[in-house]
Amino acid sequence: MISNCGHDENNRYSGGKAGDQTGTEWRVINWYNRPWKCVLRHPDAKVRKMIASMAKAAAVNNKIGYDQSERYTFWEHLKASNYDPAQITIACEADCSSGVAAIVKGAGYRLGNEKMKNVSIYLYTGNMRAGLKAAGFEVLTDSKYLTSDAYLLEGDITLNDNAHVAVNLTDGAKSSGTGASNTTTVKSNAKVDVAHGFNKSLAGTYKVTASGLNLRAGAGTGKSILAVMKNGEKVQCYGYYNDCNGVKWLYVVYKNIVGYASSKYLSK
C-alpha cells in the first residue's frame, strides 16, 4: 500500500478547492508500477516508521488536498500542527513532491534528525533523489525494488524522477520486515466516501468488539464491504466520521485500508 497524492477533485493539477474534496486527492491505494526509477530508503527503522505514519495520516485527513499552485500550504499548516498531519484542521494543499518533502522534513523535527530538518520543502521529483540522499537516504535501483512491493519496507519512498513520488506504507512479503500479514488488498473499484464530520475527541486507537465487523466504503450497511475485521483487531481513527441513522461511522485505517466502521462495535 502507498500514500499517494496525485490530483485534485477535478482530476487536474491545479485550480481546485483547498482540502480533499473527494477523498481521492491524497489517499491510501494499492502499490502500482508507475514505473518507478528508484526507491529512497532511510537506514533507521524509526525514521521509516515515522515517515509511513505521517504519510498515512496525511492521506486520511481530508483537510489536505492536491493543488500544485498552492503546494506549500501543507508545510505551513504542518509546522503549525506540531508536525503531525492528523492535527491539521485548516484546509490546505500539497502535491506529490512537496508532500513527501514536508513529511520528511517534519519527521526530522519530530525525531531530532538534523539532516532531515534541513531538507528543502522546495524539492521536486527531478532533484528529490539527490536531496534525500544528502539527508541520509539510500538509493535502491535493483529491479526487485521497482517492479513490485515484495521487497519494500514501510517508509520507503518510491520515485520516478520525471513524474511522481509516493510513500510505501507496508513491509513487503519478501522484505526483512514483518511481511504480507500486515497488508490487505483493497477492491480496485471501491471508492471510499469523503468524511464530512470531524471531532478531535474521536481520534485514537480502537478495538473491534464484534465477532466480525465489516469495514465499508461509506457509512451504512448498504455500502460496499472492503474487509472483515476480527474481534480484538485494532483500527486508527483521526477524528473523522459520517453519520447514518443517528450512528457515527468512524473513518478509520485498518491494515492500511481506509474505510468506515460503525462506532457501535468499536471501543477505545
Side-chain angles (χ1 to χ4, degrees):
M1 307 298 293
I2 61 174
S3 174
N4 189 76
C5 187
H7 55 74
D8 71 8
E9 66 269 28
N10 301 309
N11 288 318
R12 297 174 180 170
Y13 298 120
S14 63
K17 294 181 179 179
D20 193 337
Q21 306 301 313
T22 61
T24 63
E25 297 182 41
W26 193 340
R27 59 177 173 163
V28 175
I29 63 173
N30 290 328
W31 181 94
Y32 70 99
N33 192 343
R34 177 72 189 189
W36 306 110
K37 303 297 185 181
C38 73
V39 167
L40 301 164
R41 173 178 292 174
H42 199 280
D44 188 335
K46 289 183 180 179
V47 170
R48 295 196 303 270
K49 188 175 185 65
M50 177 64 74
I51 289 172
S53 175
M54 291 176 66
K56 186 190 303 181
V60 302
N61 185 343
N62 286 331
K63 292 296 182 181
I64 309 168
Y66 183 104
D67 192 315
Q68 287 187 346
S69 62
E70 300 292 336
R71 63 199 295 255
Y72 302 119
T73 57
F74 169 55
W75 168 246
E76 294 303 319
H77 289 290
L78 187 65
K79 282 195 300 182
S81 303
N82 302 308
Y83 303 104
D84 182 358
Q87 295 185 30
I88 292 176
T89 58
I90 298 173
C92 58
E93 306 278 52
D95 66 0
C96 66
S97 54
S98 68
V100 168
I103 284 170
V104 171
K105 190 177 183 73
Y109 277 94
R110 291 176 70 173
L111 296 171
N113 183 306
E114 293 300 322
K115 286 186 177 181
M116 289 168 56
K117 286 164 67 173
N118 289 329
V119 165
S120 172
I121 62 165
Y122 302 110
L123 289 180
Y124 62 98
T125 54
N127 65 5
M128 186 162 286
R129 184 188 301 222
L132 294 192
K133 184 177 180 181
F137 286 72
E138 301 167 349
V139 180
L140 308 176
T141 57
D142 190 288
S143 62
K144 71 179 184 180
Y145 299 113
L146 309 179
T147 54
S148 83
D149 61 350
Y151 291 93
L152 298 184
L153 298 174
E154 70 168 339
D156 280 349
I157 295 171
T158 55
L159 175 67
N160 180 316
D161 308 76
N162 301 318
H164 194 52
V165 63
V167 176
N168 183 64
L169 299 178
T170 53
D171 291 326
K174 297 180 180 179
S175 72
S176 58
T178 56
S181 62
N182 282 342
T183 67
T184 305
T185 302
V186 181
K187 289 182 179 179
S188 60
N189 62 344
K191 182 177 180 180
V192 179
D193 292 348
V194 175
H196 297 290
F198 177 78
N199 185 331
K200 190 174 182 179
S201 68
L202 293 175
T205 301
Y206 291 78
K207 283 187 178 181
V208 174
T209 60
S211 58
L213 180 60
N214 291 325
L215 182 71
R216 296 182 180 272
T221 56
K223 298 292 184 175
S224 298
I225 298 173
L226 304 177
V228 180
M229 303 179 290
K230 298 177 182 178
N231 183 278
E233 288 195 297
K234 294 180 180 180
V235 300
Q236 183 70 35
C237 177
Y238 293 96
Y240 291 88
Y241 67 93
N242 279 341
D243 283 314
C244 181
N245 297 324
V247 176
K248 283 184 171 57
W249 286 66
L250 303 186
Y251 187 61
V252 300
V253 181
Y254 165 71
K255 291 187 177 180
N256 298 301
I257 306 175
V258 291
Y260 291 83
S262 172
S263 61
K264 291 172 62 176
Y265 306 105
L266 295 173
S267 176
K268 273 190 177 180

